[in-house]
Amino acid sequence: MAQISINIKEGTLKREEIIVGIDLGTTNSLIAIIDKETGTPSALRDADKFAIVPSIIHFADDGTITVGRSAREHLITDPEHTIFSVKRLMGKSYKDIAAYQHTFGYKIIDDDAERLVKIKVREKYYSPIELSALILKELKLRAERLLQCAITKAVITVPAYFNDAQRQATRDAGKLAGLDVLRIINEPTAASLAYGLGNQDKSSHTIAVYDLGGGTFDISILRITSSENSGDFFEVLSTNGDTFLGGDDIDRAIMDHWLQTQHVDGNLLSATVRQDLRLTAETAKKHLGSHGEFTGNVDKIQCDLTIAELETLITPLLQKTIQCCERALFDANLNVNDIDTVVMVGGSTRTPFIKKSVSAFFNKPVHDEVDPDEVVALGAAVQADILAGNQKDMLLLDITPLSLGIETMGGLMDVIIPRNTKIPTAAGRQYTTSLDGQANLKISVFQGERDLVRDNRKLAEFILSNIPAMPAGLPKIEIVFQINADGILQVRAKELRSGVEQKIEVTPQYGLTEEEMAAMLLDSIKNAKTDMAERAIVEARVEAQNMIDTCERFIEKNNQYLNEQEIAGTKSLIDNLRNTLNSDDKDVIHQQIEILNEFTRPFAERLMDMAISQAMKGKTI
Ligand code: ADP
Ligand code: MG
């Protein structure tokens, strides 16, 4: 339904609703709308024509809160009360960020490692959601001032790898800022929308989005499939990146280069001089985008830099991003030649050397016509326009970053939804009980790539109870995993013979960091061999235990039909098998299983025949 608002300047009523697009960035944030006259997206600017709002918040001692460019100055003068990089903390627990807490100048609270982090500023505690809301409010205010009407609806972008908790946190921040968040969309998808890549003649189009920002690097491989009747599908085929790699690292490398070549110990400099050096390094970096050399000085330190020197400093960093690109291509099952279009995003891609190198890697020219700072916000505005009904609809799809499964006998991970599966999705599998008359079945849900659940991450656990008494192996328990479009996982377990059912919704308190995710993936590759061997041993042990249980039940039940030698022999072979349970050699276990099997087979068959003839006898005609 369209919202009516009053244009204060002209005193007229506006009937169309305006939905804004917002790029809530780690370093910089922007807000954009579709220009009614031209139909093209444009970023909203302040009086000085700046579209960028630095994602920085300052808390003055008189209680004033400032956001953006004016807050940025306080990074030097009042670092303790100046908050930056809040996006890194979204949806995270203290445990998630403990390792890099020192990179934040402000105080992060660790009262409970499992809970979401809080930030302490002047005796008050703020959650990352509240802090992000302050940035969003600033953007909303800018739009309301310029457009002279209330802004209540928005599309906000997040990195493609953001998990459910992080997306939810972003949504909550919007709500807190007084915005109805109609859609959370992936940054690379937004960038593709800004380039109009959705509306092409080709039926399928593969895009690499290379996003190098201030502190993070993301590479995403997308596929757009167009069809006449259902519009365009955006699929994220794979994502990769480094959450600690960006323009800030280039600035640091330049600064270190100056200090090293002049034999200055950085630790002996005052905080102010260090900050000044860092800003000069950034200025030099930007200057060299269109000049051959830079000269300057800070304190007594000479700050000179040539393009050649800058390129040498950037190279190791650039190599890392290229490796991420290779991994993303590998995960998407593609090679460089399968990529139709390369899109450059993020302020750091302005550096010509980076553009040139990425273009060389993908072996094609890169798209850089749209301002790389603004492209994500502009795309969010395009998506907002689609939602407002002004463009043909497009559906956005996502993927699961890690495999999801349950724990089975022996602590093995049984994958139900493999990683990189498109969501929404659903998948299920049937299980059974291992004990006679078993009434309860514990279902533990895990996330990760390793074969043993203890190496993966537990997401949830619940018990399917009231299974009617049945012999082991008879119940049919169906476990279904369902992930909805918002990325929320629901697990359902149902005993099909009786209809007993139980379900839970898995909404993790906080998510994995990208490093953890990368580490888990790397681990699974490194350990594939040992994992396989371990899985084989575990499986052998489970099989042996089942055999022991069955045989013990068998001799107990059929005592009267067996002779003493059969009973004693079986018992001693059961003991032998039990003794192999701790063995690390699966072949030893299998050998004992086979021996027990061979020994019991003759009388097991004899009893079976007896049971059959007995049953026949009982029948009356
Ligand atoms: P984020 O997405 O993390 O919020 P941005 O995309 O806004 O970040 O990128 C910010 C980074 O871009 C900073 O490190 C800044 O130094 C860098 N940057 C901005 N302009 C230029 C330029 N002209 N040349 C090189 N780097 C630039
Ligand atoms: Mg960005």
Side-chain angles (χ1 to χ4, degrees), residues 23 25-26 28 87 187 211 213 345-346 376:
D23 170 5
T26 311
N28 298 308
K87 190 172 176 179
E187 286 160 12
D211 181 350
V345 180
V376 170

Side-chain angles (χ1 to χ4, degrees), residues 432-438 468-475 497 553 557:
T432 189
T433 51
S434 53
L435 299 173
D436 285 336
Q438 188 175 334
M470 279 183 257
L474 207 57
R497 293 180 193 279
R553 262 202 318 265
K557 259 191 185 161

Side-chain angles (χ1 to χ4, degrees), residues 247-248 250-251 254 281-289 310 348 351:
D248 298 348
I250 300 175
D251 304 344
I254 296 172
E282 188 180 3
T283 309
K285 170 182 77 177
K286 291 182 181 173
H287 180 83
L288 291 177
L310 176 66
S348 299
T351 300

